[in-house]
Amino acid sequence: MKIASSDLFDLIKRLRNKDIDKFVRHETEALQQVKLLDVLRNQKEYSESEALKQFDGKLQPSQLSTLKYELYNKLIDFLRFNDQHKNDSQRVFSYLGRAKVLKDRGLHVQAKKQLDKASKLCEKANLISEDLLVIDAKRELSIVTSDLDGKSELVDVLSKKALDNLAELQDWMKMLELYDLLFMAGKSRFIDMKNKEIKGYVKTLQNIDPSSFGVRTSILFNQTLAMGFMKMNEPQKVKTHLTEVCRLYESNKIVFENNIDDYIKVRINILSAEVLNKSTDYRLELSEVLKLVKKSYKKNPSYNLLHKEIRLYVLLSMYYVINGAYKEGLETVLLAEKIAEKNDLFILALDRAILNFMKFRSYFGLADYSSALIYVNKILDAGNKVVRPDIINFARVAFLIVQYELGNYEELNHYLNSARRYYSKRNEFVKVESLTIKLLRSLINDKSDHLKSISTFQSNLKEMKNTNLESVLFLYFDFDKWIGQVLASRKNR
């Protein structure tokens, strides 16, 4: 029965004031629960001992544990059954629950009305798996009652509908499997293997005819292809398929309203493709999506929408940084960080790592290498378990580059050896990492031909830009600009 100590506190901190006020008005008899809600609502950090003090010694720790458990579940149920928070899937389950209550009391005609409502909603919202449950409930009702006409005919109709739904569900599961396989292939750090696997899955998808798919399966089909092309660094094809996803959402009002979070995510991914495509200006589109996020957040605040708002500011910061406007990039990412701090409990370690990464990029561009090092270290301190592998691996290379710019050559020699052991042990080298380590080792060695090493590195940069799965790394860091600065510095010595 005991819940984790801070679960209730975390939940309360994510409620809107009007949600809490409505809950309090509803729970007029639960005085202790309402008082506990008010106590935790006013705490900045969770403290069980401070909460107990507010009850003037009338509540024991064991009683507080029970009270927390009861309040936690009441709040969850309140959010679940509050119409403002319901989606179509939840409404279907609500109809199913009502139908069962009515059927068990012999009110079969009333039960059928609830199931008919559920069926219509499933059809409008294209809820395949939920519709199968409704079909099964109708079948059970047809068996126990004699009030319904054409029982045999009904069972035949339900069986055909179930088979049709199962066929669509099978298509959906096939797409879902390809999506997961493609996603996992993209995590590989073995470039040749990754390239082969991703191209194989994309080819499989391109050989599929999606004309018979339902809306949800068509959306997943295009999203999967877009992800494949994103990993192959073909942004124009990414944009083509994501634009089709938007069209599919917009063509079905129910699906659109029921999946507004997913729709916004697709719009943001199109903006990400614009970054990959080095679009000259996508700020107008970004501004429109940001307005949509804020409008949706006002209706229903959620971590997902807050995450999207921060991601939009990160994309804007990336736009500035890519175009050399480092000051504006820093100001934008600081704004995103301010939003994150204001809603601390909503932000995961990965979001913080991305914010820190953009701060590193901005400070490095401004030649404030000491500040850049601070934020690279924050990414590395977060660790592999919470930060994306591509970011954490590149952060290790960024750490080495910053150490070089700070002139910490003696320590850098040790760090280079450590980095080589790290990557070699995990078979995680990609060419840009290997070449950067080799170049830095040459630059801190007085006996090396530095100009020759720089020239070799520049030649390899051109080659890497023509390799789809390598060239995406140039979004992380402007290698061309950096090596140009290194070259100019060496020539002036």
Side-chain angles (χ1 to χ4, degrees):
M1 187 170 78
K2 188 175 180 179
I3 64 171
S5 296
S6 65
D7 283 4
L8 175 61
F9 177 77
D10 293 346
L11 174 61
I12 290 171
K13 288 297 181 181
R14 298 193 186 190
L15 296 177
R16 295 176 297 177
N17 288 334
K18 65 179 182 180
D19 288 330
I20 293 177
D21 293 341
K22 188 173 181 180
F23 177 82
V24 170
R25 288 197 301 270
H26 183 265
E27 297 293 332
T28 54
E29 302 296 322
L31 298 180
Q32 280 193 317
Q33 290 176 8
V34 169
K35 182 175 181 178
L36 178 59
L37 172 60
D38 191 55
V39 167
L40 296 182
R41 180 186 187 181
N42 291 311
Q43 285 189 354
K44 289 186 177 180
E45 293 184 2
Y46 177 68
S47 172
E48 196 158 301
S49 59
E50 288 298 317
L52 279 168
K53 287 180 183 178
Q54 299 300 315
F55 286 87
D56 302 321
K58 295 178 182 179
L59 201 66
Q60 299 299 313
S62 60
Q63 293 173 309
L64 178 61
S65 179
T66 301
L67 193 61
K68 283 167 49 186
Y69 173 81
E70 292 171 347
L71 178 57
Y72 181 83
N73 285 297
K74 275 192 174 182
L75 286 170
I76 291 288
D77 288 341
F78 167 78
L79 292 173
R80 182 183 169 200
F81 291 108
N82 183 345
D83 282 340
Q84 236 179 346
H85 293 270
K86 276 187 181 180
N87 57 32
D88 288 330
S89 180
Q90 288 173 309
R91 289 190 175 91
V92 169
F93 284 109
S94 179
Y95 287 135
L96 284 168
R98 293 173 189 172
K100 187 176 188 312
V101 168
L102 294 167
K103 186 193 79 171
D104 289 348
R105 283 155 181 77
L107 300 171
H108 302 139
V109 174
Q110 291 185 41
K112 182 179 181 296
K113 288 179 180 178
Q114 296 295 321
L115 293 177
D116 286 342
K117 289 180 181 179
S119 285
K120 288 179 182 177
L121 189 53
C122 286
E123 186 175 348
K124 284 183 179 179
N126 195 229
L127 301 174
I128 306 167
S129 53
E130 290 87 343
D131 198 23
L132 287 170
L133 295 175
V134 175
I135 290 169
D136 190 53
K138 282 189 172 184
R139 183 192 60 79
E140 286 188 3
L141 186 63
S142 71
I143 292 172
V144 299
T145 179
S146 58
D147 298 336
L148 302 176
D149 296 328
K151 189 188 305 181
S152 298
E153 183 181 345
L154 175 63
V155 173
D156 289 341
V157 171
L158 293 178
S159 296
K160 184 180 183 304
K161 190 176 181 184
L163 288 172
D164 290 341
N165 274 7
L166 284 170
E168 187 168 352
L169 191 61
Q170 190 175 28
D171 289 336
W172 164 264
M173 293 304 295
K174 184 178 180 180
M175 284 303 104
L176 202 58
E177 181 185 17
L178 283 167
Y179 182 94
D180 290 344
L181 288 169
L182 193 49
F183 179 80
M184 293 308 296
K187 282 182 166 291
S188 171
R189 295 281 291 170
F190 245 169
I191 289 297
D192 290 340
M193 183 184 297
K194 176 167 28 176
N195 197 6
K196 184 178 179 181
E197 288 184 0
I198 290 174
K199 285 184 176 179
Y201 293 134
V202 168
K203 187 175 180 181
T204 299
L205 284 160
Q206 289 177 311
N207 288 332
I208 293 173
D209 178 9
S211 59
S212 63
F213 291 165
V215 175
R216 287 205 311 171
T217 309
S218 294
I219 287 171
L220 182 57
F221 169 77
N222 281 284
Q223 285 178 324
T224 307
L225 264 173
M227 180 174 64
F229 287 123
M230 177 72 82
K231 293 179 185 300
M232 292 168 65
N233 195 25
E234 296 189 32
Q236 193 53 50
K237 291 181 180 178
V238 172
K239 186 176 179 180
T240 298
H241 287 284
L242 290 183
T243 301
E244 174 63 11
V245 171
C246 286
R247 188 197 67 77
L248 287 164
Y249 274 127
E250 292 163 1
S251 66
N252 189 311
K253 185 179 178 182
I254 298 293
V255 174
F256 175 81
E257 292 176 351
N258 207 40
N259 296 277
I260 186 66
D261 274 18
D262 293 333
Y263 172 77
I264 292 172
K265 183 179 178 180
V266 175
R267 294 280 298 272
I268 293 173
N269 285 337
I270 290 175
L271 286 168
S272 297
E274 294 284 16
V275 174
L276 281 171
N277 210 21
K278 297 180 180 175
S279 175
T280 53
D281 200 342
Y282 54 83
R283 285 175 295 179
L284 180 61
E285 169 70 4
L286 193 150
S287 178
E288 290 180 2
V289 180
L290 189 57
K291 286 178 184 177
L292 181 58
V293 169
K294 289 182 175 181
K295 182 180 177 182
S296 301
Y297 187 81
K298 188 175 282 190
K299 286 184 179 179
N300 182 24
S302 70
Y303 161 75
N304 287 335
L305 287 170
L306 184 67
H307 170 80
K308 289 174 174 62
E309 183 177 359
I310 291 171
R311 188 177 170 194
L312 284 166
Y313 282 118
V314 168
L315 285 171
L316 181 57
S317 174
M318 189 176 290
Y319 169 84
Y320 285 130
V321 167
I322 287 173
N323 288 283
Y326 301 112
K327 183 180 177 182
E328 291 84 351
L330 181 59
E331 289 172 351
T332 305
V333 80
L334 288 174
L335 174 61
E337 188 176 58
K338 188 175 181 180
I339 296 170
E341 288 175 353
K342 185 180 177 181
N343 301 276
D344 185 65
L345 292 173
F346 284 72
I347 305 304
L348 296 176
L350 174 58
D351 301 299
R352 294 203 178 280
I354 293 171
L355 290 171
N356 287 331
F357 181 76
M358 289 312 302
K359 290 175 84 172
F360 151 73
R361 286 289 315 268
S362 300
Y363 280 119
F364 192 94
L366 293 168
D368 184 349
Y369 302 119
S370 295
S371 295
L373 182 60
I374 290 171
Y375 293 102
V376 169
N377 279 328
K378 285 188 176 185
I379 297 170
L380 294 172
D381 288 344
N384 287 313
K385 291 185 178 179
V386 293
V387 181
R388 272 194 350 230
D390 54 342
I391 294 177
I392 200 82
N393 276 282
F394 179 75
R396 292 180 180 277
V397 175
F399 173 82
L400 300 174
I401 292 173
V402 175
Q403 291 290 351
Y404 169 78
E405 292 296 341
L406 287 169
N408 299 331
Y409 296 165
E410 189 173 335
E411 295 93 337
L412 180 55
N413 191 51
H414 165 73
Y415 294 139
L416 289 169
N417 291 332
S418 177
R420 177 163 287 282
R421 286 195 300 271
Y422 171 83
Y423 287 118
S424 297
K425 185 177 180 180
R426 290 162 177 75
N427 289 322
E428 289 184 334
F429 262 128
V430 292
K431 200 167 186 179
V432 69
E433 294 160 352
S434 176
L435 292 172
T436 303
I437 290 173
K438 186 176 179 180
L439 172 66
L440 290 172
R441 192 180 297 281
S442 171
L443 291 176
I444 63 174
N445 187 340
D446 291 335
K447 296 180 181 180
S448 297
D449 185 343
H450 301 148
L451 295 179
K452 182 179 179 182
S453 297
I454 292 170
S455 177
T456 301
F457 186 81
Q458 287 178 313
S459 297
N460 282 303
L461 284 182
K462 292 180 182 179
E463 180 186 332
M464 285 187 286
K465 286 182 178 179
N466 294 322
T467 306
N468 284 339
L469 293 170
E470 289 272 9
S471 61
V472 72
L473 294 170
F474 289 87
L475 288 172
Y476 292 153
F477 188 71
D478 193 340
F479 285 96
D480 284 315
K481 185 172 182 178
W482 172 65
I483 199 61
Q485 290 172 344
V486 171
L487 181 60
S489 173
R490 291 284 166 174
K491 283 182 177 180
N492 292 332
R493 289 186 181 183

